[in-house]
Amino acid sequence: MRPNPRMLLRHTLVVVTFVVGALLSSCATTGEVTPFEPLVGGEPVAVSLVTTADIPLSGLPRLEISATAAEVNARWEVEGVSCLIAQATASRVGSVIEIQLHRGGNPLANCVAARVGYQYMARVTGLAQGRFEVRLVDVFADQPAVAIGRKSVVVGAVFVVD
């Protein structure tokens, strides 16, 4: 007994519909999507970046934005492909600071394809005391920029002790 081609097609379409729906819903959960509104007219500010590779992959991605005296810090831990290089830029409009992390493959590296855990620690210093909204944006290779997250933090004053 041969299977009916129409019946096979009908069952295949039902299964494909469920699989595509599950994939789309897992990619677009409202809790993880951060709309990206680029900072317009920002003044460049100094930012430093320290990259650490080979961190444990469990629990990634993680983002922590914090502030101390005269500075804000953004630590992003994420899984990526091997041999990535990164640099950071930052700009400020009023009390909003946007840190852009520019990542891409290292053209000079001879790498084996692998998944690697990265930690990116960006630091903006020299800030006055006050409340700031800090935004972290990822610009990966030639892809459109993606908002990773944002947080309102309070920068403390620097006290000089004689």
Side-chain angles (χ1 to χ4, degrees), residues 41-57:
E43 291 291 322
V45 293
V47 60
S48 63
L49 179 67
V50 176
T51 302
T52 305
D54 297 325
I55 68 166
L57 296 174

Side-chain angles (χ1 to χ4, degrees), residues 1-9 11-12:
M1 177 177 216
R2 282 185 1 178
N4 183 346
R6 283 190 161 163
M7 189 60 95
L8 278 176
L9 180 60
H11 288 291
T12 303

Side-chain angles (χ1 to χ4, degrees), residues 8 16 18 24 37 40 43-44 49-50 54 60 65 71 76 80 87 116 120 123 125 127 130 147 150 155 157:
L8 278 176
V16 168
F18 283 120
L24 289 175
E37 301 169 14
V40 178
E43 291 291 322
L49 179 67
V50 176
D54 297 325
L60 298 183
I65 297 174
E71 70 181 36
W76 185 39
Q87 66 179 11
V116 176
Y120 301 102
R123 176 172 284 139
T125 58
L127 298 172
R150 64 179 77 186
V155 172

Side-chain angles (χ1 to χ4, degrees), residues 70-128:
E71 70 181 36
V72 295
N73 302 293
R75 182 177 69 194
W76 185 39
E77 297 175 339
V78 66
E79 183 177 338
V81 296
S82 58
C83 298
L84 290 180
I85 55 175
Q87 66 179 11
T89 59
S91 56
R92 177 179 171 191
V93 173
S95 64
V96 178
I97 298 172
E98 182 177 277
I99 302 169
Q100 288 199 359
L101 189 60
H102 305 270
R103 303 183 307 141
N106 185 346
L108 302 177
N110 185 11
C111 296
V112 174
R115 303 302 294 171
V116 176
Y118 290 96
Q119 180 185 77
Y120 301 102
M121 182 67 173
R123 176 172 284 139
V124 176
T125 58
L127 298 172

